Amino acid sequence: MAAVWAAAFPVVSSLGPHRVWGASACVGYLCAAVAVLSRCSLGRAVSVWIAGIGAVLVPLVVLVLTGGAQSEVGVVERAGLLTVRQGTPYLADPQAVVEVTPYLPGMALFGLPGAVVADGWEPLRYLGDARLWCAAAFLGCLWAAGRVLGARARPRGTGQLVGAALIASPVVALPLAVSGVDLPLTGLLCLALALAARHRPVAAGLALALACSLKWTAWPALAVVAALLAHRAGLGAALRGTGVAVAGTVLAVLPSALLAPGPLVEQVFAFPTGRGEWETPAASPLPGRLLADLGPFGWYAAMTLLAAGGVAVAVSLWVRPPAGLVPAADRLAVGLCTAFLLAPAGRFGYLALPVLLSVWARLAEAPSRVAPARSRVVAAGSAARPVLVGGDR
């Protein structure tokens, strides 16, 4: 299925980076399928690494070396350069849609390496590609989340294989190769959920603050993490985590809000919702977009439905708070799906974020659902041992 899906990109996509990814990934997935069907004892492991090479490594290297990328990569790199020069990532008077920065100031961090090496040695400039740093942040967050959750409970090598399979899957491989700007957000949300599930409110709040300073689409996670903390560690922990997250987000956004309040509001909030001067390219035919195309009434109808969906998710968190990592990730995924489907502007690609959250949570929690073999043996031995009473002790 992955090979068929990848093969469609060179045929139907109008974006060059997507076609490059599709051609390379299709070959990788087909070779991986052959490895799985072989009788080699290492066939499964070999197939995962083949898929990773074909769907991630090869297209990423080719696109970085040739400069092929989705437009948001250039936007992030320019945001880093502007932050160095003027203290804010927003142009005061953008002249084209590609000069709009629809991200919160934290996203400029991934453009800072490009600003540092912009005038350096030519081969060194490749290291300034924002995708590399977005991928590094994503992988680092997943590794940290695995440590928090105790992924070492898996049999030796299993955790690495599962993680590699997730990264090689189309839901991660495609954005990692062609764009990558949503991956740090996803990784930080995974880390925040993992920390909350292990009763670490301050650390969860810090991870949330970083996520919420990248894109405002991360803000619904505040409610989900707060509900999870309240259920697992009490109201005080929920308040501490939420307080750290809100304070950290304010500190990250405040400098740009003071230096360029107008451009920030116009580019970060008005532009993505279809109310800015420039029309957003995020125009997939999702329900919210179709409603907004009907005119002002349709736009207000979409926003009303969006607000109603948010209220419904909030009520569900109050009535039945998530008890663990998987329910919390699912609840956040439902909230994000609702937002992406009903927003006046959006892309089908945005739905990869909630899908990835739900899949990752199930993979991450898998070791804790099965008791280690030694524990089962000890428990069985204890159950079989006769109970001695009285003078038989």
Side-chain angles (χ1 to χ4, degrees), residues 208-246:
L208 269 183
L210 291 172
C212 292
S213 67
L214 300 180
K215 298 179 72 173
W216 57 267
T217 50
W219 293 359
L222 287 169
V224 176
V225 170
L228 178 58
L229 283 170
H231 184 83
R232 298 293 293 265
L235 181 60
L239 292 175
R240 288 197 302 275
T242 304
V244 170
V246 172

PDB file of all heavy atoms in Angstrom, residues 208-246:
ATOM      1  N   LEU A 208       5.388  21.776  26.267  1.00  0.00           N
ATOM      2  CA  LEU A 208       4.222  22.433  25.676  1.00  0.00           C
ATOM      3  C   LEU A 208       4.529  23.876  25.294  1.00  0.00           C
ATOM      4  O   LEU A 208       4.069  24.362  24.251  1.00  0.00           O
ATOM      5  CB  LEU A 208       3.051  22.407  26.655  1.00  0.00           C
ATOM      6  CG  LEU A 208       2.092  21.229  26.581  1.00  0.00           C
ATOM      7  CD1 LEU A 208       0.969  21.419  27.586  1.00  0.00           C
ATOM      8  CD2 LEU A 208       1.530  21.073  25.188  1.00  0.00           C
ATOM      9  N   ALA A 209       5.277  24.583  26.132  1.00  0.00           N
ATOM     10  CA  ALA A 209       5.625  25.971  25.827  1.00  0.00           C
ATOM     11  C   ALA A 209       6.401  26.062  24.518  1.00  0.00           C
ATOM     12  O   ALA A 209       6.154  26.949  23.688  1.00  0.00           O
ATOM     13  CB  ALA A 209       6.431  26.582  26.972  1.00  0.00           C
ATOM     14  N   LEU A 210       7.331  25.138  24.319  1.00  0.00           N
ATOM     15  CA  LEU A 210       8.087  25.129  23.067  1.00  0.00           C
ATOM     16  C   LEU A 210       7.165  24.853  21.882  1.00  0.00           C
ATOM     17  O   LEU A 210       7.274  25.506  20.841  1.00  0.00           O
ATOM     18  CB  LEU A 210       9.191  24.067  23.142  1.00  0.00           C
ATOM     19  CG  LEU A 210      10.340  24.369  24.112  1.00  0.00           C
ATOM     20  CD1 LEU A 210      11.263  23.154  24.229  1.00  0.00           C
ATOM     21  CD2 LEU A 210      11.122  25.592  23.651  1.00  0.00           C
ATOM     22  N   ALA A 211       6.258  23.883  22.034  1.00  0.00           N
ATOM     23  CA  ALA A 211       5.335  23.565  20.943  1.00  0.00           C
ATOM     24  C   ALA A 211       4.414  24.733  20.637  1.00  0.00           C
ATOM     25  O   ALA A 211       4.186  25.080  19.473  1.00  0.00           O
ATOM     26  CB  ALA A 211       4.519  22.324  21.295  1.00  0.00           C
ATOM     27  N   CYS A 212       3.887  25.361  21.684  1.00  0.00           N
ATOM     28  CA  CYS A 212       2.929  26.450  21.499  1.00  0.00           C
ATOM     29  C   CYS A 212       3.577  27.729  20.974  1.00  0.00           C
ATOM     30  O   CYS A 212       2.877  28.637  20.528  1.00  0.00           O
ATOM     31  CB  CYS A 212       2.207  26.743  22.811  1.00  0.00           C
ATOM     32  SG  CYS A 212       1.109  25.419  23.345  1.00  0.00           S
ATOM     33  N   SER A 213       4.901  27.818  21.039  1.00  0.00           N
ATOM     34  CA  SER A 213       5.584  28.982  20.473  1.00  0.00           C
ATOM     35  C   SER A 213       5.962  28.770  19.013  1.00  0.00           C
ATOM     36  O   SER A 213       6.507  29.666  18.371  1.00  0.00           O
ATOM     37  CB  SER A 213       6.848  29.293  21.285  1.00  0.00           C
ATOM     38  OG  SER A 213       7.810  28.267  21.146  1.00  0.00           O
ATOM     39  N   LEU A 214       5.660  27.576  18.481  1.00  0.00           N
ATOM     40  CA  LEU A 214       5.919  27.291  17.068  1.00  0.00           C
ATOM     41  C   LEU A 214       4.704  27.605  16.201  1.00  0.00           C
ATOM     42  O   LEU A 214       4.802  28.330  15.207  1.00  0.00           O
ATOM     43  CB  LEU A 214       6.305  25.823  16.881  1.00  0.00           C
ATOM     44  CG  LEU A 214       7.544  25.317  17.616  1.00  0.00           C
ATOM     45  CD1 LEU A 214       7.770  23.833  17.307  1.00  0.00           C
ATOM     46  CD2 LEU A 214       8.773  26.114  17.238  1.00  0.00           C
ATOM     47  N   LYS A 215       3.555  27.037  16.569  1.00  0.00           N
ATOM     48  CA  LYS A 215       2.306  27.252  15.819  1.00  0.00           C
ATOM     49  C   LYS A 215       1.153  27.239  16.807  1.00  0.00           C
ATOM     50  O   LYS A 215       1.150  26.457  17.758  1.00  0.00           O
ATOM     51  CB  LYS A 215       2.103  26.145  14.764  1.00  0.00           C
ATOM     52  CG  LYS A 215       3.174  26.081  13.693  1.00  0.00           C
ATOM     53  CD  LYS A 215       2.917  24.962  12.703  1.00  0.00           C
ATOM     54  CE  LYS A 215       1.750  25.269  11.790  1.00  0.00           C
ATOM     55  NZ  LYS A 215       1.601  24.253  10.715  1.00  0.00           N
ATOM     56  N   TRP A 216       0.163  28.080  16.546  1.00  0.00           N
ATOM     57  CA  TRP A 216      -0.950  28.145  17.490  1.00  0.00           C
ATOM     58  C   TRP A 216      -1.851  26.916  17.390  1.00  0.00           C
ATOM     59  O   TRP A 216      -2.713  26.708  18.250  1.00  0.00           O
ATOM     60  CB  TRP A 216      -1.755  29.425  17.312  1.00  0.00           C
ATOM     61  CG  TRP A 216      -2.324  29.676  15.951  1.00  0.00           C
ATOM     62  CD1 TRP A 216      -1.760  30.396  14.939  1.00  0.00           C
ATOM     63  CD2 TRP A 216      -3.603  29.252  15.455  1.00  0.00           C
ATOM     64  NE1 TRP A 216      -2.577  30.440  13.840  1.00  0.00           N
ATOM     65  CE2 TRP A 216      -3.726  29.751  14.130  1.00  0.00           C
ATOM     66  CE3 TRP A 216      -4.646  28.507  15.993  1.00  0.00           C
ATOM     67  CZ2 TRP A 216      -4.844  29.517  13.350  1.00  0.00           C
ATOM     68  CZ3 TRP A 216      -5.781  28.266  15.214  1.00  0.00           C
ATOM     69  CH2 TRP A 216      -5.863  28.778  13.906  1.00  0.00           C
ATOM     70  N   THR A 217      -1.643  26.082  16.375  1.00  0.00           N
ATOM     71  CA  THR A 217      -2.403  24.834  16.300  1.00  0.00           C
ATOM     72  C   THR A 217      -2.028  23.879  17.435  1.00  0.00           C
ATOM     73  O   THR A 217      -2.737  22.887  17.667  1.00  0.00           O
ATOM     74  CB  THR A 217      -2.170  24.132  14.952  1.00  0.00           C
ATOM     75  OG1 THR A 217      -0.765  24.045  14.693  1.00  0.00           O
ATOM     76  CG2 THR A 217      -2.828  24.906  13.817  1.00  0.00           C
ATOM     77  N   ALA A 218      -0.930  24.173  18.143  1.00  0.00           N
ATOM     78  CA  ALA A 218      -0.562  23.335  19.292  1.00  0.00           C
ATOM     79  C   ALA A 218      -1.337  23.701  20.542  1.00  0.00           C
ATOM     80  O   ALA A 218      -1.313  22.940  21.524  1.00  0.00           O
ATOM     81  CB  ALA A 218       0.942  23.465  19.567  1.00  0.00           C
ATOM     82  N   TRP A 219      -2.016  24.825  20.548  1.00  0.00           N
ATOM     83  CA  TRP A 219      -2.667  25.291  21.773  1.00  0.00           C
ATOM     84  C   TRP A 219      -3.726  24.347  22.327  1.00  0.00           C
ATOM     85  O   TRP A 219      -3.892  24.277  23.554  1.00  0.00           O
ATOM     86  CB  TRP A 219      -3.235  26.686  21.551  1.00  0.00           C
ATOM     87  CG  TRP A 219      -2.162  27.731  21.340  1.00  0.00           C
ATOM     88  CD1 TRP A 219      -0.806  27.529  21.357  1.00  0.00           C
ATOM     89  CD2 TRP A 219      -2.349  29.127  21.082  1.00  0.00           C
ATOM     90  NE1 TRP A 219      -0.131  28.708  21.116  1.00  0.00           N
ATOM     91  CE2 TRP A 219      -1.046  29.705  20.945  1.00  0.00           C
ATOM     92  CE3 TRP A 219      -3.462  29.936  20.948  1.00  0.00           C
ATOM     93  CZ2 TRP A 219      -0.868  31.055  20.682  1.00  0.00           C
ATOM     94  CZ3 TRP A 219      -3.282  31.294  20.682  1.00  0.00           C
ATOM     95  CH2 TRP A 219      -2.001  31.837  20.563  1.00  0.00           C
ATOM     96  N   PRO A 220      -4.485  23.612  21.495  1.00  0.00           N
ATOM     97  CA  PRO A 220      -5.437  22.652  22.087  1.00  0.00           C
ATOM     98  C   PRO A 220      -4.784  21.618  22.992  1.00  0.00           C
ATOM     99  O   PRO A 220      -5.445  21.050  23.872  1.00  0.00           O
ATOM    100  CB  PRO A 220      -6.069  21.987  20.855  1.00  0.00           C
ATOM    101  CG  PRO A 220      -5.946  23.009  19.764  1.00  0.00           C
ATOM    102  CD  PRO A 220      -4.647  23.695  20.034  1.00  0.00           C
ATOM    103  N   ALA A 221      -3.492  21.369  22.807  1.00  0.00           N
ATOM    104  CA  ALA A 221      -2.803  20.393  23.654  1.00  0.00           C
ATOM    105  C   ALA A 221      -2.740  20.849  25.099  1.00  0.00           C
ATOM    106  O   ALA A 221      -2.584  20.012  26.004  1.00  0.00           O
ATOM    107  CB  ALA A 221      -1.391  20.140  23.119  1.00  0.00           C
ATOM    108  N   LEU A 222      -2.842  22.143  25.358  1.00  0.00           N
ATOM    109  CA  LEU A 222      -2.842  22.636  26.734  1.00  0.00           C
ATOM    110  C   LEU A 222      -3.965  21.994  27.539  1.00  0.00           C
ATOM    111  O   LEU A 222      -3.754  21.532  28.667  1.00  0.00           O
ATOM    112  CB  LEU A 222      -2.982  24.164  26.750  1.00  0.00           C
ATOM    113  CG  LEU A 222      -1.770  24.980  26.310  1.00  0.00           C
ATOM    114  CD1 LEU A 222      -2.169  26.440  26.117  1.00  0.00           C
ATOM    115  CD2 LEU A 222      -0.653  24.865  27.336  1.00  0.00           C
ATOM    116  N   ALA A 223      -5.157  21.963  26.967  1.00  0.00           N
ATOM    117  CA  ALA A 223      -6.302  21.401  27.671  1.00  0.00           C
ATOM    118  C   ALA A 223      -6.154  19.895  27.868  1.00  0.00           C
ATOM    119  O   ALA A 223      -6.478  19.354  28.934  1.00  0.00           O
ATOM    120  CB  ALA A 223      -7.587  21.713  26.912  1.00  0.00           C
ATOM    121  N   VAL A 224      -5.652  19.201  26.849  1.00  0.00           N
ATOM    122  CA  VAL A 224      -5.521  17.745  26.936  1.00  0.00           C
ATOM    123  C   VAL A 224      -4.476  17.360  27.980  1.00  0.00           C
ATOM    124  O   VAL A 224      -4.703  16.476  28.817  1.00  0.00           O
ATOM    125  CB  VAL A 224      -5.154  17.154  25.562  1.00  0.00           C
ATOM    126  CG1 VAL A 224      -4.916  15.648  25.676  1.00  0.00           C
ATOM    127  CG2 VAL A 224      -6.259  17.435  24.553  1.00  0.00           C
ATOM    128  N   VAL A 225      -3.324  18.026  27.945  1.00  0.00           N
ATOM    129  CA  VAL A 225      -2.268  17.720  28.919  1.00  0.00           C
ATOM    130  C   VAL A 225      -2.728  18.073  30.330  1.00  0.00           C
ATOM    131  O   VAL A 225      -2.448  17.345  31.289  1.00  0.00           O
ATOM    132  CB  VAL A 225      -0.970  18.456  28.542  1.00  0.00           C
ATOM    133  CG1 VAL A 225       0.060  18.346  29.663  1.00  0.00           C
ATOM    134  CG2 VAL A 225      -0.398  17.884  27.246  1.00  0.00           C
ATOM    135  N   ALA A 226      -3.433  19.197  30.483  1.00  0.00           N
ATOM    136  CA  ALA A 226      -3.944  19.577  31.803  1.00  0.00           C
ATOM    137  C   ALA A 226      -4.910  18.520  32.332  1.00  0.00           C
ATOM    138  O   ALA A 226      -4.859  18.146  33.520  1.00  0.00           O
ATOM    139  CB  ALA A 226      -4.626  20.937  31.731  1.00  0.00           C
ATOM    140  N   ALA A 227      -5.794  18.013  31.473  1.00  0.00           N
ATOM    141  CA  ALA A 227      -6.740  16.980  31.902  1.00  0.00           C
ATOM    142  C   ALA A 227      -6.015  15.694  32.282  1.00  0.00           C
ATOM    143  O   ALA A 227      -6.365  15.032  33.266  1.00  0.00           O
ATOM    144  CB  ALA A 227      -7.751  16.713  30.788  1.00  0.00           C
ATOM    145  N   LEU A 228      -4.998  15.326  31.513  1.00  0.00           N
ATOM    146  CA  LEU A 228      -4.243  14.113  31.822  1.00  0.00           C
ATOM    147  C   LEU A 228      -3.497  14.257  33.152  1.00  0.00           C
ATOM    148  O   LEU A 228      -3.497  13.341  33.980  1.00  0.00           O
ATOM    149  CB  LEU A 228      -3.254  13.825  30.691  1.00  0.00           C
ATOM    150  CG  LEU A 228      -2.326  12.617  30.865  1.00  0.00           C
ATOM    151  CD1 LEU A 228      -3.121  11.337  31.053  1.00  0.00           C
ATOM    152  CD2 LEU A 228      -1.383  12.494  29.668  1.00  0.00           C
ATOM    153  N   LEU A 229      -2.874  15.419  33.365  1.00  0.00           N
ATOM    154  CA  LEU A 229      -2.166  15.656  34.621  1.00  0.00           C
ATOM    155  C   LEU A 229      -3.126  15.657  35.812  1.00  0.00           C
ATOM    156  O   LEU A 229      -2.814  15.111  36.869  1.00  0.00           O
ATOM    157  CB  LEU A 229      -1.417  16.988  34.547  1.00  0.00           C
ATOM    158  CG  LEU A 229      -0.114  17.003  33.748  1.00  0.00           C
ATOM    159  CD1 LEU A 229       0.387  18.424  33.563  1.00  0.00           C
ATOM    160  CD2 LEU A 229       0.952  16.147  34.436  1.00  0.00           C
ATOM    161  N   ALA A 230      -4.278  16.280  35.642  1.00  0.00           N
ATOM    162  CA  ALA A 230      -5.251  16.326  36.730  1.00  0.00           C
ATOM    163  C   ALA A 230      -5.709  14.931  37.110  1.00  0.00           C
ATOM    164  O   ALA A 230      -5.886  14.619  38.298  1.00  0.00           O
ATOM    165  CB  ALA A 230      -6.438  17.195  36.336  1.00  0.00           C
ATOM    166  N   HIS A 231      -5.912  14.088  36.119  1.00  0.00           N
ATOM    167  CA  HIS A 231      -6.375  12.724  36.395  1.00  0.00           C
ATOM    168  C   HIS A 231      -5.279  11.868  37.008  1.00  0.00           C
ATOM    169  O   HIS A 231      -5.540  11.064  37.916  1.00  0.00           O
ATOM    170  CB  HIS A 231      -6.865  12.081  35.096  1.00  0.00           C
ATOM    171  CG  HIS A 231      -7.442  10.710  35.286  1.00  0.00           C
ATOM    172  ND1 HIS A 231      -8.744  10.500  35.680  1.00  0.00           N
ATOM    173  CD2 HIS A 231      -6.885   9.475  35.143  1.00  0.00           C
ATOM    174  CE1 HIS A 231      -8.970   9.202  35.774  1.00  0.00           C
ATOM    175  NE2 HIS A 231      -7.857   8.554  35.444  1.00  0.00           N
ATOM    176  N   ARG A 232      -4.049  12.033  36.533  1.00  0.00           N
ATOM    177  CA  ARG A 232      -2.963  11.167  36.979  1.00  0.00           C
ATOM    178  C   ARG A 232      -2.237  11.679  38.222  1.00  0.00           C
ATOM    179  O   ARG A 232      -1.770  10.894  39.031  1.00  0.00           O
ATOM    180  CB  ARG A 232      -1.931  11.001  35.848  1.00  0.00           C
ATOM    181  CG  ARG A 232      -2.456  10.340  34.590  1.00  0.00           C
ATOM    182  CD  ARG A 232      -2.809   8.882  34.830  1.00  0.00           C
ATOM    183  NE  ARG A 232      -1.630   8.086  35.109  1.00  0.00           N
ATOM    184  CZ  ARG A 232      -0.956   7.385  34.214  1.00  0.00           C
ATOM    185  NH1 ARG A 232      -1.368   7.386  32.954  1.00  0.00           N
ATOM    186  NH2 ARG A 232       0.088   6.673  34.558  1.00  0.00           N
ATOM    187  N   ALA A 233      -2.122  13.022  38.361  1.00  0.00           N
ATOM    188  CA  ALA A 233      -1.293  13.568  39.437  1.00  0.00           C
ATOM    189  C   ALA A 233      -1.994  14.614  40.285  1.00  0.00           C
ATOM    190  O   ALA A 233      -1.387  15.152  41.203  1.00  0.00           O
ATOM    191  CB  ALA A 233      -0.010  14.156  38.844  1.00  0.00           C
ATOM    192  N   GLY A 234      -3.242  14.954  39.975  1.00  0.00           N
ATOM    193  CA  GLY A 234      -3.983  15.899  40.793  1.00  0.00           C
ATOM    194  C   GLY A 234      -4.085  17.286  40.176  1.00  0.00           C
ATOM    195  O   GLY A 234      -3.357  17.634  39.247  1.00  0.00           O
ATOM    196  N   LEU A 235      -4.988  18.071  40.723  1.00  0.00           N
ATOM    197  CA  LEU A 235      -5.249  19.407  40.197  1.00  0.00           C
ATOM    198  C   LEU A 235      -4.027  20.313  40.316  1.00  0.00           C
ATOM    199  O   LEU A 235      -3.747  21.118  39.427  1.00  0.00           O
ATOM    200  CB  LEU A 235      -6.439  20.027  40.944  1.00  0.00           C
ATOM    201  CG  LEU A 235      -6.863  21.427  40.498  1.00  0.00           C
ATOM    202  CD1 LEU A 235      -7.256  21.425  39.024  1.00  0.00           C
ATOM    203  CD2 LEU A 235      -8.020  21.928  41.360  1.00  0.00           C
ATOM    204  N   GLY A 236      -3.288  20.192  41.424  1.00  0.00           N
ATOM    205  CA  GLY A 236      -2.109  21.025  41.595  1.00  0.00           C
ATOM    206  C   GLY A 236      -1.089  20.806  40.493  1.00  0.00           C
ATOM    207  O   GLY A 236      -0.499  21.767  39.972  1.00  0.00           O
ATOM    208  N   ALA A 237      -0.866  19.552  40.099  1.00  0.00           N
ATOM    209  CA  ALA A 237       0.069  19.254  39.017  1.00  0.00           C
ATOM    210  C   ALA A 237      -0.425  19.836  37.694  1.00  0.00           C
ATOM    211  O   ALA A 237       0.362  20.366  36.903  1.00  0.00           O
ATOM    212  CB  ALA A 237       0.261  17.748  38.886  1.00  0.00           C
ATOM    213  N   ALA A 238      -1.739  19.738  37.458  1.00  0.00           N
ATOM    214  CA  ALA A 238      -2.298  20.305  36.230  1.00  0.00           C
ATOM    215  C   ALA A 238      -2.091  21.815  36.177  1.00  0.00           C
ATOM    216  O   ALA A 238      -1.743  22.368  35.135  1.00  0.00           O
ATOM    217  CB  ALA A 238      -3.783  19.958  36.128  1.00  0.00           C
ATOM    218  N   LEU A 239      -2.304  22.482  37.305  1.00  0.00           N
ATOM    219  CA  LEU A 239      -2.111  23.935  37.331  1.00  0.00           C
ATOM    220  C   LEU A 239      -0.652  24.306  37.136  1.00  0.00           C
ATOM    221  O   LEU A 239      -0.339  25.287  36.443  1.00  0.00           O
ATOM    222  CB  LEU A 239      -2.630  24.491  38.660  1.00  0.00           C
ATOM    223  CG  LEU A 239      -4.148  24.409  38.866  1.00  0.00           C
ATOM    224  CD1 LEU A 239      -4.523  24.888  40.265  1.00  0.00           C
ATOM    225  CD2 LEU A 239      -4.873  25.236  37.807  1.00  0.00           C
ATOM    226  N   ARG A 240       0.256  23.540  37.735  1.00  0.00           N
ATOM    227  CA  ARG A 240       1.682  23.831  37.554  1.00  0.00           C
ATOM    228  C   ARG A 240       2.096  23.648  36.097  1.00  0.00           C
ATOM    229  O   ARG A 240       2.794  24.497  35.526  1.00  0.00           O
ATOM    230  CB  ARG A 240       2.532  22.922  38.450  1.00  0.00           C
ATOM    231  CG  ARG A 240       2.471  23.262  39.925  1.00  0.00           C
ATOM    232  CD  ARG A 240       3.622  22.628  40.687  1.00  0.00           C
ATOM    233  NE  ARG A 240       3.654  21.182  40.554  1.00  0.00           N
ATOM    234  CZ  ARG A 240       2.947  20.348  41.308  1.00  0.00           C
ATOM    235  NH1 ARG A 240       2.122  20.828  42.235  1.00  0.00           N
ATOM    236  NH2 ARG A 240       3.039  19.043  41.143  1.00  0.00           N
ATOM    237  N   GLY A 241       1.690  22.552  35.509  1.00  0.00           N
ATOM    238  CA  GLY A 241       2.047  22.313  34.115  1.00  0.00           C
ATOM    239  C   GLY A 241       1.481  23.356  33.185  1.00  0.00           C
ATOM    240  O   GLY A 241       2.180  23.861  32.294  1.00  0.00           O
ATOM    241  N   THR A 242       0.208  23.694  33.376  1.00  0.00           N
ATOM    242  CA  THR A 242      -0.420  24.701  32.527  1.00  0.00           C
ATOM    243  C   THR A 242       0.224  26.071  32.722  1.00  0.00           C
ATOM    244  O   THR A 242       0.449  26.821  31.751  1.00  0.00           O
ATOM    245  CB  THR A 242      -1.923  24.782  32.832  1.00  0.00           C
ATOM    246  OG1 THR A 242      -2.512  23.487  32.672  1.00  0.00           O
ATOM    247  CG2 THR A 242      -2.612  25.762  31.904  1.00  0.00           C
ATOM    248  N   GLY A 243       0.536  26.403  33.970  1.00  0.00           N
ATOM    249  CA  GLY A 243       1.174  27.686  34.241  1.00  0.00           C
ATOM    250  C   GLY A 243       2.525  27.811  33.566  1.00  0.00           C
ATOM    251  O   GLY A 243       2.857  28.859  32.979  1.00  0.00           O
ATOM    252  N   VAL A 244       3.334  26.760  33.640  1.00  0.00           N
ATOM    253  CA  VAL A 244       4.636  26.778  32.980  1.00  0.00           C
ATOM    254  C   VAL A 244       4.473  26.912  31.470  1.00  0.00           C
ATOM    255  O   VAL A 244       5.196  27.670  30.814  1.00  0.00           O
ATOM    256  CB  VAL A 244       5.422  25.503  33.333  1.00  0.00           C
ATOM    257  CG1 VAL A 244       6.675  25.374  32.460  1.00  0.00           C
ATOM    258  CG2 VAL A 244       5.816  25.508  34.802  1.00  0.00           C
ATOM    259  N   ALA A 245       3.506  26.182  30.899  1.00  0.00           N
ATOM    260  CA  ALA A 245       3.292  26.228  29.449  1.00  0.00           C
ATOM    261  C   ALA A 245       2.860  27.613  28.994  1.00  0.00           C
ATOM    262  O   ALA A 245       3.382  28.153  28.009  1.00  0.00           O
ATOM    263  CB  ALA A 245       2.243  25.188  29.045  1.00  0.00           C
ATOM    264  N   VAL A 246       1.908  28.200  29.705  1.00  0.00           N
ATOM    265  CA  VAL A 246       1.414  29.533  29.313  1.00  0.00           C
ATOM    266  C   VAL A 246       2.504  30.590  29.489  1.00  0.00           C
ATOM    267  O   VAL A 246       2.734  31.429  28.605  1.00  0.00           O
ATOM    268  CB  VAL A 246       0.158  29.893  30.131  1.00  0.00           C
ATOM    269  CG1 VAL A 246      -0.249  31.349  29.874  1.00  0.00           C
ATOM    270  CG2 VAL A 246      -0.988  28.952  29.781  1.00  0.00           C
TER     271      VAL A 246
END
